Amino acid sequence: MPAVSDQRFEALVRDLTNRFSSADEAKIRAALSAFLKVMELPVSYLNPSSRYHPVAVFKKRFGGIEKSAMVSLPDMRILNRYNMPGWRREVEFRLDRDIVAEENVHGVRALLIGEPASLARLRDAFARILQRMNMKPGRFVLFYNYVYMDFGGRFINLLLRGSDLQISLVNLKYTEASRVLGKAIPYMDSTFGNKNVEFYKLLFVYSSETAGTFDWFFHRYVMPGLNPEQRDFLEDMQDYRNFISLLYSYVRRLNKDRLGDEVGIRVIRRANPNRPLEIGIAFTNRGIAVKRYPSTVTISFTV
């Protein structure tokens, strides 16, 4: 940090130590340093590029009294009602509970911030994901419920809340992220309950890499959602697995980096070309939905 920032940092540490206690100085210093590192991540909740002013709220209970102080992270000063930013994002750090730790997790540098029991649970959950990845990030930050994985200016972000998982990609294409995560994708699919649209798109991209993974995807997500007419069509075929193999040959040709929220399939039957079979595979925040009529046909072929 520049000299003026160092001076502001030290002055803020003194001000906060005076507000709380001298025993809290080391934790205040560690927390402020950690928040600055998180703020510098372009994808983080605290990054000012979101147009929200990042604010840290320090709290500690002294007997029956709780003291608090709100801190502007960009300005490195304590806030009051006169200089409080209108558009802000707050993160609470309890000096009598939360911790900051730097560790090495499966060979990856990690910064951990949050409540110890929650951090331990999320660290273990993420470590199992990390073990299954094809490529490890240069570093990652576990910031309360957020995980930021840094691949040299390209990021994979996870939001973990109970059994819910949300994933987002920054400067990474779906095909690149699929190769990076590898078997961690089906592991996350089986481990977490609710996932977001981006995850299900990524799952589809992963499944399209081999005929075997696509067969697994089709039986797990598409077959159970087919309506009676669609099922009858497959059962009328001599071997519906040939249909899945044929469909896979078209799926693998898709530009999966430009994947929308739905893959529409139209199958024209030579015996009855006026009644094509249509299937819509839609990616939603509630899972993968199978539709009778797709909004847009992405794949079309004749059997």
Side-chain angles (χ1 to χ4, degrees):
M1 290 186 294
V4 63
S5 296
D6 289 339
Q7 293 170 3
R8 288 183 181 178
F9 184 90
E10 294 300 330
L12 179 59
V13 170
R14 287 194 299 272
D15 289 345
L16 289 171
T17 301
N18 291 335
R19 288 210 176 199
F20 293 101
S21 74
S22 57
D24 298 315
E25 181 179 348
K27 184 172 275 193
I28 290 169
R29 186 180 296 276
L32 285 173
S33 296
F35 286 146
L36 288 177
K37 290 177 183 177
V38 174
M39 189 178 71
E40 289 169 358
L41 286 173
V43 296
S44 80
Y45 177 80
L46 292 181
N47 189 271
S49 65
S50 65
R51 297 184 181 179
Y52 288 91
H53 195 105
V55 171
V57 185
F58 287 87
K59 291 185 177 181
K60 184 176 181 179
R61 184 168 291 279
F62 294 88
I65 300 173
E66 182 179 76
K67 287 188 176 181
S68 68
M70 300 184 75
V71 171
S72 164
L73 292 174
D75 300 335
M76 283 282 104
R77 64 176 179 178
I78 294 177
L79 295 168
N80 54 47
R81 62 178 179 171
Y82 300 108
N83 61 4
M84 186 71 65
W87 298 89
R88 61 184 182 272
R89 275 186 172 167
E90 297 179 8
V91 57
E92 182 179 292
F93 189 88
R94 299 199 66 91
L95 291 166
D96 46 8
R97 181 197 66 188
D98 296 342
I99 63 167
V100 173
E102 295 194 38
E103 298 183 9
N104 189 296
V105 181
H106 293 296
V108 181
R109 292 179 295 116
L111 173 64
L112 285 65
I113 308 165
E115 190 271 325
S118 178
L119 277 183
R121 184 175 65 255
L122 293 174
R123 179 194 179 281
D124 290 345
F126 180 67
R128 288 190 287 272
I129 293 171
L130 199 61
Q131 282 179 306
R132 291 164 172 83
M133 291 171 58
N134 289 333
M135 184 187 301
K136 303 289 193 299
R139 59 170 176 159
F140 76 87
V141 174
L142 178 49
F143 177 63
Y144 297 93
N145 295 107
Y146 293 91
V147 181
Y148 304 115
M149 289 182 271
D150 186 356
F151 294 88
R154 303 182 300 166
F155 294 87
I156 298 177
N157 305 331
L158 303 178
L159 173 58
L160 308 173
R161 283 186 179 147
S163 64
D164 294 353
L165 177 145
Q166 292 183 29
I167 190 167
S168 61
L169 310 177
V170 179
N171 296 330
L172 267 176
K173 298 176 180 179
Y174 288 117
T175 50
E176 293 171 334
S178 177
R179 287 192 291 269
V180 166
L181 291 169
K183 292 182 179 179
I185 295 173
Y187 172 76
M188 289 186 282
D189 179 49
S190 62
T191 303
F192 295 92
N194 298 318
K195 279 88 69 175
N196 64 336
V197 170
E198 291 297 291
F199 176 84
Y200 288 110
K201 288 184 183 181
L202 195 56
L203 180 66
F204 178 81
V205 173
Y206 169 82
S207 75
S208 68
E209 291 181 358
T210 68
T213 51
F214 185 75
D215 185 83
W216 161 81
F217 174 87
F218 193 90
H219 282 88
R220 177 174 173 82
Y221 282 106
V222 181
M223 283 287 282
L226 295 177
N227 64 25
E229 181 184 354
Q230 292 165 329
R231 282 183 173 274
D232 288 344
F233 171 83
L234 292 184
E235 290 170 3
D236 286 344
M237 302 183 71
Q238 289 184 346
D239 184 357
Y240 76 87
R241 286 187 180 273
N242 288 336
F243 167 79
I244 298 175
S245 297
L246 181 60
L247 176 59
Y248 169 68
S249 70
Y250 285 90
V251 166
R252 67 181 298 186
R253 299 177 207 168
L254 290 175
N255 184 346
K256 289 173 281 290
D257 291 325
R258 300 175 70 89
L259 199 63
D261 289 343
E262 182 181 315
V263 174
I265 302 162
R266 174 180 290 147
V267 185
I268 301 168
R269 297 176 273 200
R270 288 189 178 92
N272 190 355
N274 295 323
R275 287 194 61 197
L277 171 77
E278 293 189 336
I279 301 173
I281 302 174
F283 311 109
T284 76
N285 286 318
R286 299 177 299 279
I288 293 177
V290 179
K291 299 165 62 177
R292 173 62 183 91
Y293 297 105
S295 303
T296 304
V297 174
T298 317
I299 297 170
S300 180
F301 58 93
T302 302
V303 296

